[in-house]
Amino acid sequence: MLIEAILGNFFVLCYVSEQQQYLFFLIICLCLPQIDKRHQSKDSIFFRDGVRRIDFVLAYVDDLNKEWEKKLERRKEFERNLENAGLKLEREDKKESEDGKICFVKIHATWDVLITYAEVLNIKVPIKENDIPSTVENPLDCMLAPLRLPEKVMHPEPDYFTAPFSRDKQELYLINDESTFFSPSMRNRIVNYILTRCPYGTEEGKKKFGIKRLLNNGTYSAAYPLHDCQYWKKANDPNCESERYTLYMEWARFLRFYKEQPLDLIRKYYGEKIGIYFAWLGFYTEMLFLAAVVGLICFLYGLFTMDENMSSKEICDPAIGGEIIMCPLCDQDCEYWRLNTTCESSQYSHLFDNVATLFFAIFMGIWVTLFLEFWKRRQARLKYEWDLVDFEEEQQQLQLRPEYEAKCTHKKKNPVTQEMEPYLPITSQAVRFCISGTTVLFWVSLIIASMIAVIVYRLAVYAAFASLMENTQTLQPISGLLTPQLATSVTASCLNFVIIMILNFLYERIAIWITDMEIPRTHMEYENRLTMKMFLFQFVNYYSSCFYVAFFKGKFVGYPGAYTYMFNRWRNEECDPAGCLIELTTQLTIVMAGKQIWGNIQEAIVPWICNWWGRRKARNNPENLYSRWEQDHDLQTFGALGLFYEYLEMVIQFGFITLFVASFPLAPLLALMNNILEIRVDSWKLTTQYRRPVAAKAHSIGVWQEILNGMAILSVVTNAFIVAFTSDMIPRLVYYYTASENEDSPMSGYINNSLSVFQISDFPDRNKPKLNPENFVICRYRDYRYPPDHEKKYLHSMQFWHILAAKLAFIIIMEHVVFIVKFFVAWMIPDVPADVKAKIKREKYLTQKILYEYEFEKLKERLCQGGKQATEEEFITTEGRMELSRAM
């Protein structure tokens, strides 16, 4: 009315005719809705009516290319079928988007759709508030108060007894508000279920369906649920809970690294599958704290006893190590060298090769068992708290992959459901598995070939490093610290790390392709197959170089005059006189630290740069015109395999700190520091840099549990072999008890005893150095062989066989002791806590009682209304079930 009055006065003053006034008013009326719309904030999670919630968004680029008409037909058919399924759609034209190119389709699930598919998906909903008293308070809670989060953040909603939803029993459930009864994560899970199974036509005689196919062929560019607000501020709408903002402020910032994780809120916002990952990662990090402390103590023991180590003292002593002439480390070009040139490396080797190494290896074998057993208990508690106790059966039935249904044209009767369902013939399965297995073996062989190439590099460049360091004056000051062995080891480790990253990048795509080709039946089966392929590859890729240094390097060298050669050309590597353990530590540190640094760069910096670049234009627009669906569209996609890579990264790290921990007690400390950062990096990128993932259920960490169990068993074996064959502990103990002659200093003379004698005149021309300026007559080498004047010249001495027997005995004893303790600990710790078992039984009983009482009351109403004889029989049956329930 105010506009009409102003314009009326304006028309009077300007003498405008009535016809012109009418036309002008018509134009204004047409423009006003657009003006109002442009001034309303688009940072909303509701339709234009402000009532219906946006549960999912589809986006596509409306470009006029050669397939434009085909894509248009697919979209029309697909969206028509979505509407036929009961979903409500609201479209945003590309003119309304920030770049003028992208169209958006907003999807809302009505109450009828939600209750229909909640029953199909067997979703559990509240029926009564939980009246089971909480556990007794921990007396240490007051000390842990600084680590706690507010109660509203830790437990965002009350605890309820739940039951699977049924349309016929809606009065039973606690439905206070239909718009909020199903959480946003439940809603987007239901809509995603419909999207993955909605048909869009027939092409080439085959029925086509599913949003995944439409994304792959470019019909749609994106499909995602919306975040509920911007992460740095709360939503203006009071109906929005702003859980994303709460997660960012209380969880996703690094300054909150010392706080506990709000697992219930994570589960509510992202779903159980992501929640269980962060629960496992947090528990793993907590358990690492104990291992890191013990490892640090072992390292400090080595540091404080470094000056007391008799072996390094003798090596550094000019009167002992300075007088021992060592045989050349390569043929012809390398010169004779004095043992005391390895003084510094022998001292550093003692940091990791000492008696504490044995203790730490045994401790880690027990720690792994404690970690896995206590995680089972934690997982059982989460299964109860998150209503996942009966989830395993429903997952097997409900997670049939749409790709399996589409590609399998054969059908057979399911013996359980007695319904016809698609299946893949056994002959087709066999062919696909053969192709898959051959491909995996080829890539594993490629890794082994690359490792051999790195070994050849080590053999080929060692002579070059030795010659360079001897003839270059500028390197003389650091020649004691940077020996040819160490230089070769460091450069080879860096080269190996680069090869590992390249092969990982290539194999990831191959593994996904061959898993898709196998057409797994369920989502769980798909993830398990992909997990085994990727883990097998990464296991060989990451650990092969460490296995080489630990168990093969220096073990098949031969002796001067009869060296062994690779491909009859390159002489095999020798260990440092102080042992190969320091080289294994170097290899482990470079690969482990390099992987963690590269992983954090990939996870945090790369998505941030991509999002910054994608939003560069939007920063110039008013905030109220940059819609919520456009903001999320500009974020990165957290794909279906997003968690898979997170688990894989952590499991590979778990292997580093268990399989080779005897060589590097600081590995758990590095892993602990990385994981503290990892939790916050993962939470930050998930909350700020990625679109909201579709909620998914999971009752455990899946096949990763079995992989961790396997690695725990293997770690006992590898650490026993490292202590026995890679470290010098067993030879020192044998010398201490059998060959020591000095009671005051039992280990004096060990270095001389561990080096055999070779007569230089026995060198063949192939091995003999070109120069011998000091006319040495003999040289020493690391082995236990008879001297040249003995009748068993250069054969293994009796001491060699004593040491070998001691090593084998140690392996057997250590393995049996650790395994016995592991199995005893596993037997002592029940997988499910007693209080959780009692709560599960109590909840089942109360839930059954509530359901039976509900049925009982309904039957009484029917009887009061004049039911038939059948109804009376139902009444008696229900009453009997209630009595049986009470008795149970």
Side-chain angles (χ1 to χ4, degrees):
M1 295 297 293
L2 178 62
I3 294 175
E4 289 182 23
I6 294 172
L7 290 176
N9 292 331
F10 172 77
F11 294 147
V12 169
L13 292 174
C14 296
Y15 304 103
V16 178
S17 67
E18 290 185 6
Q19 187 176 5
Q20 290 173 324
Q21 290 180 29
Y22 175 76
L23 291 172
F24 194 76
F25 266 113
L26 185 61
I27 294 170
I28 291 294
C29 291
L30 290 172
C31 293
L32 274 176
Q34 297 297 322
I35 293 171
D36 292 342
K37 181 182 173 183
R38 298 297 293 178
H39 283 79
Q40 291 174 352
S41 176
K42 297 173 73 176
D43 187 18
S44 170
I45 57 171
F46 295 96
F47 276 15
R48 296 189 190 100
D49 57 17
V51 176
R52 292 175 294 175
R53 187 186 187 95
I54 302 172
D55 297 313
F56 229 88
V57 174
L58 306 179
Y60 61 92
V61 179
D62 194 9
D63 54 348
L64 298 174
N65 57 21
K66 59 182 180 180
E67 294 188 354
W68 177 77
E69 291 185 1
K70 185 182 291 187
K71 292 179 180 178
L72 179 62
E73 288 301 319
R74 289 174 185 158
R75 282 194 294 268
K76 285 183 177 179
E77 181 68 19
F78 186 70
E79 291 170 17
R80 183 164 50 249
N81 289 330
L82 289 178
E83 290 176 322
N84 292 338
L87 298 176
K88 300 299 180 183
L89 308 183
E90 187 175 82
R91 296 168 178 82
E92 291 285 335
D93 191 75
K94 62 182 178 181
K95 296 176 183 178
E96 299 292 325
S97 66
E98 175 265 329
D99 61 0
K101 297 179 181 178
I102 303 175
C103 302
F104 294 93
V105 180
K106 298 173 287 184
I107 302 175
H108 167 77
T110 61
W111 174 252
D112 286 338
V113 171
L114 292 173
I115 61 176
T116 299
Y117 285 93
E119 187 171 10
V120 171
L121 293 171
N122 208 26
I123 291 176
K124 291 185 176 181
V125 294
I127 57 175
K128 180 184 178 182
E129 192 160 343
N130 193 334
D131 60 358
I132 299 177
S134 58
T135 55
V136 180
E137 291 188 4
N138 188 341
L140 299 177
D141 278 348
C142 57
M143 298 175 59
L144 300 176
L147 308 180
R148 303 295 187 197
L149 288 172
E151 182 66 20
K152 187 177 180 181
V153 177
M154 287 301 298
H155 304 288
E157 53 188 3
D159 190 18
Y160 294 102
F161 292 132
T162 60
F165 187 85
S166 173
R167 290 173 62 103
D168 301 331
K169 302 175 183 178
Q170 293 187 43
E171 304 89 348
L172 177 65
Y173 308 113
L174 303 179
I175 305 176
N176 297 322
D177 185 353
E178 291 183 356
S179 63
T180 59
F181 179 69
F182 293 102
S183 68
S185 60
M186 287 183 183
R187 296 173 71 101
N188 74 55
R189 181 181 167 216
I190 289 171
V191 174
N192 183 68
Y193 184 86
I194 298 171
L195 290 174
T196 54
R197 287 157 176 80
C198 182
Y200 60 85
T202 303
E203 296 178 7
E204 300 175 358
K206 294 182 179 179
K207 186 179 179 182
K208 302 291 184 180
F209 59 89
I211 187 63
K212 186 174 180 180
R213 281 177 172 270
L214 293 173
L215 291 171
N216 290 338
N217 61 33
T219 303
Y220 290 100
S221 60
Y224 53 93
L226 291 180
H227 283 294
D228 61 359
C229 66
Q230 294 171 331
Y231 67 85
W232 64 87
K233 69 174 185 178
K234 291 185 176 181
N236 296 324
D237 192 331
N239 296 323
C240 181
E241 295 180 331
S242 299
E243 292 174 343
R244 185 190 189 192
Y245 169 79
T246 304
L247 285 170
Y248 174 71
M249 296 301 294
E250 302 291 347
W251 176 54
R253 294 191 299 166
F254 182 73
L255 293 178
R256 314 290 284 180
F257 72 92
Y258 62 94
K259 293 284 189 179
E260 61 183 338
Q261 298 187 85
L263 294 177
D264 287 344
L265 184 57
I266 297 169
R267 173 242 182 172
K268 181 185 176 187
Y269 191 76
Y270 290 115
E272 287 81 1
K273 193 170 186 178
I274 290 178
I276 206 89
Y277 163 73
F278 280 104
W280 175 81
L281 180 57
F283 183 81
Y284 172 44
T285 305
E286 291 171 12
M287 291 293 292
L288 273 177
F289 182 79
L290 175 62
V293 170
V294 176
L296 181 61
I297 292 172
C298 293
F299 174 78
L300 292 176
Y301 170 83
L303 181 65
F304 292 142
T305 59
M306 187 186 296
D307 295 334
E308 302 173 9
N309 180 31
M310 184 56 66
S311 298
S312 59
K313 279 184 178 180
E314 290 187 345
I315 292 174
C316 297
D317 190 346
I320 302 176
E323 295 299 322
I324 296 178
I325 308 302
M326 301 297 293
C327 297
L329 294 172
C330 65
D331 295 336
Q332 297 183 343
D333 294 328
C334 293
E335 298 180 358
Y336 301 99
W337 52 286
R338 297 182 185 276
L339 182 60
N340 64 350
T341 59
T342 62
C343 174
E344 285 83 356
S345 64
S346 68
Q347 290 176 329
Y348 293 135
S349 179
H350 178 71
L351 290 173
F352 310 105
D353 191 359
N354 54 66
V355 69
T357 300
L358 173 60
F359 165 77
F360 192 58
I362 296 173
F363 167 79
M364 286 302 292
I366 299 170
W367 174 88
V368 169
T369 305
L370 291 174
F371 163 63
L372 294 175
E373 292 302 317
F374 281 124
W375 165 246
K376 289 178 185 177
R377 292 170 62 83
R378 178 76 174 116
Q379 189 170 257
R381 192 175 296 278
L382 287 174
K383 284 174 68 174
Y384 165 72
E385 292 174 355
W386 291 355
D387 293 323
L388 299 170
V389 174
D390 301 320
F391 174 67
E392 188 171 5
E393 293 79 9
E394 73 181 66
Q395 183 169 20
Q396 293 294 332
Q397 297 171 7
L398 299 176
Q399 295 296 322
L400 198 66
R401 296 176 67 236
E403 294 85 354
Y404 182 85
E405 295 175 326
K407 294 179 180 179
C408 297
T409 56
H410 299 80
K411 290 183 180 289
K412 68 176 182 180
K413 183 179 288 187
N414 188 313
V416 177
T417 63
Q418 294 295 309
E419 294 179 357
M420 298 299 292
E421 64 177 26
Y423 83 102
L424 194 64
I426 190 69
T427 52
S428 179
Q429 289 185 39
V431 173
R432 293 170 188 275
F433 281 135
C434 287
I435 296 173
S436 175
T438 304
T439 306
V440 172
L441 287 176
F442 168 77
W443 279 88
V444 171
S445 303
L446 192 62
I447 297 172
I448 296 173
S450 68
M451 185 189 71
I452 293 173
V454 173
I455 295 172
V456 170
Y457 164 83
R458 300 171 72 113
L459 302 178
V461 303
Y462 178 80
F465 275 122
S467 176
L468 179 67
M469 292 180 179
E470 289 174 5
N471 300 324
T472 305
Q473 295 298 321
T474 55
L475 296 177
Q476 289 301 319
I478 61 170
S479 60
L481 179 63
L482 187 65
T483 62
Q485 293 100 320
L486 184 59
T488 303
S489 180
V490 170
T491 56
S493 298
C494 294
L495 177 62
N496 183 64
F497 176 71
V498 173
I499 293 174
I500 285 172
M501 293 294 105
I502 294 173
L503 290 176
N504 274 350
F505 176 79
L506 297 174
Y507 182 75
E508 282 178 9
R509 286 137 186 85
I510 299 296
I512 293 172
W513 174 75
I514 58 179
T515 307
D516 287 338
M517 182 198 64
E518 291 175 7
I519 319 180
R521 184 175 182 272
T522 64
H523 290 284
M524 177 184 284
E525 191 176 333
Y526 181 90
E527 288 189 7
N528 289 349
R529 290 188 189 181
L530 181 61
T531 298
M532 295 309 298
K533 291 181 183 67
M534 286 295 296
F535 177 74
L536 174 63
F537 178 85
Q538 298 233 7
F539 183 92
V540 179
N541 199 17
Y542 278 107
Y543 303 142
S544 57
S545 58
C546 294
F547 272 99
Y548 164 72
V549 175
F551 306 124
F552 295 97
K553 183 181 178 182
K555 307 299 186 295
F556 309 99
V557 177
Y559 63 92
Y563 289 117
T564 55
Y565 290 82
M566 177 178 283
F567 305 129
N568 203 31
R569 180 176 179 182
W570 292 286
R571 183 172 132 187
N572 285 350
E573 285 185 284
E574 296 182 44
C575 287
D576 189 274
C580 268
L581 200 67
I582 189 67
E583 293 189 45
L584 177 58
T585 303
T586 303
Q587 178 79 23
L588 189 66
T589 305
I590 290 175
V591 176
M592 182 178 174
K595 182 184 182 302
Q596 292 177 351
I597 293 170
W598 178 250
N600 286 326
I601 290 173
Q602 276 188 313
E603 291 181 14
I605 297 178
V606 172
W608 180 82
I609 292 174
C610 294
N611 289 337
W612 174 85
W613 182 257
R615 292 196 300 259
R616 66 193 187 283
K617 291 181 180 179
R619 288 192 292 272
N620 300 322
N621 292 338
E623 186 177 295
N624 65 329
L625 299 184
Y626 190 31
S627 64
R628 161 85 357 239
W629 45 93
E630 288 178 280
Q631 293 175 39
D632 285 10
H633 181 269
D634 290 340
L635 298 176
Q636 300 299 298
T637 303
F638 192 81
L641 298 177
L643 275 187
F644 167 80
Y645 294 113
E646 301 296 341
Y647 275 119
L648 184 62
E649 178 186 3
M650 288 296 102
V651 170
I652 293 297
Q653 181 206 83
F654 180 83
F656 280 124
I657 69 164
T658 53
L659 296 178
F660 307 101
V661 75
S663 68
F664 191 34
L666 291 180
L669 181 61
L670 288 181
L672 174 64
M673 293 188 294
N674 174 78
N675 287 8
I676 291 173
L677 179 64
E678 181 76 21
I679 290 174
R680 304 304 157 178
V681 168
D682 286 350
S683 59
W684 173 80
K685 73 179 184 183
L686 200 61
T687 307
T688 67
Q689 304 300 310
Y690 283 89
R691 296 171 188 161
R692 186 174 184 172
V694 177
K697 280 201 161 192
H699 70 291
S700 68
I701 61 174
V703 72
W704 297 110
Q705 182 79 37
E706 301 305 319
I707 291 174
L708 292 174
N709 289 333
M711 294 180 75
I713 294 172
L714 181 61
S715 67
V716 177
V717 179
T718 56
N719 284 302
F721 272 85
I722 287 172
V723 173
F725 285 97
T726 310
S727 78
D728 262 5
M729 181 174 295
I730 303 301
R732 285 199 294 262
L733 289 174
V734 171
Y735 176 80
Y736 181 88
Y737 288 108
T738 63
S740 177
E741 299 177 354
N742 189 337
E743 294 182 0
D744 297 330
S745 180
M747 291 307 297
S748 62
Y750 168 72
I751 291 298
N752 186 64
N753 177 266
S754 65
L755 299 174
S756 299
V757 179
F758 181 76
Q759 191 166 335
I760 292 176
S761 59
D762 292 337
F763 263 127
D765 293 337
R766 178 178 183 178
N767 306 131
K768 193 171 185 177
K770 295 177 182 178
L771 300 175
N772 185 8
E774 299 185 44
N775 296 319
F776 297 122
V777 178
I778 62 170
C779 65
R780 310 293 292 274
Y781 61 99
R782 183 180 171 83
D783 206 344
Y784 294 92
R785 294 178 182 270
Y786 289 113
D789 57 352
H790 196 277
E791 61 180 4
K792 296 182 180 180
K793 178 179 177 180
Y794 302 141
L795 295 178
H796 285 299
S797 64
M798 188 57 65
Q799 189 176 4
F800 170 85
W801 300 109
H802 288 166
I803 292 173
L804 181 61
K807 288 179 177 179
L808 296 176
F810 169 80
I811 290 172
I812 294 171
I813 293 171
M814 179 180 169
E815 286 182 358
H816 280 70
V817 169
V818 175
F819 279 133
I820 289 172
V821 173
K822 279 170 64 70
F823 291 135
F824 178 73
V825 169
W827 174 75
M828 286 287 292
I829 302 174
D831 291 348
V832 182
D835 64 313
V836 172
K837 284 183 179 179
K839 287 180 178 179
I840 291 172
K841 292 179 180 178
R842 170 71 175 165
E843 180 167 341
K844 283 186 176 180
Y845 162 72
L846 291 176
T847 303
Q848 287 179 351
K849 182 180 177 183
I850 291 169
L851 290 172
Y852 292 157
E853 287 176 351
Y854 171 80
E855 292 181 6
F856 190 69
E857 292 298 324
K858 297 294 288 185
L859 287 171
K860 284 173 64 178
E861 291 178 8
R862 290 167 62 186
L863 280 174
C864 293
Q865 294 172 1
K868 298 180 181 178
Q869 181 66 25
T871 307
E872 294 177 3
E873 292 176 359
E874 290 177 15
F875 179 84
I876 295 169
T877 303
T878 303
E879 192 174 31
R881 285 190 298 185
M882 289 179 62
E883 291 297 328
L884 180 61
S885 177
R886 292 191 190 99
M888 292 172 64

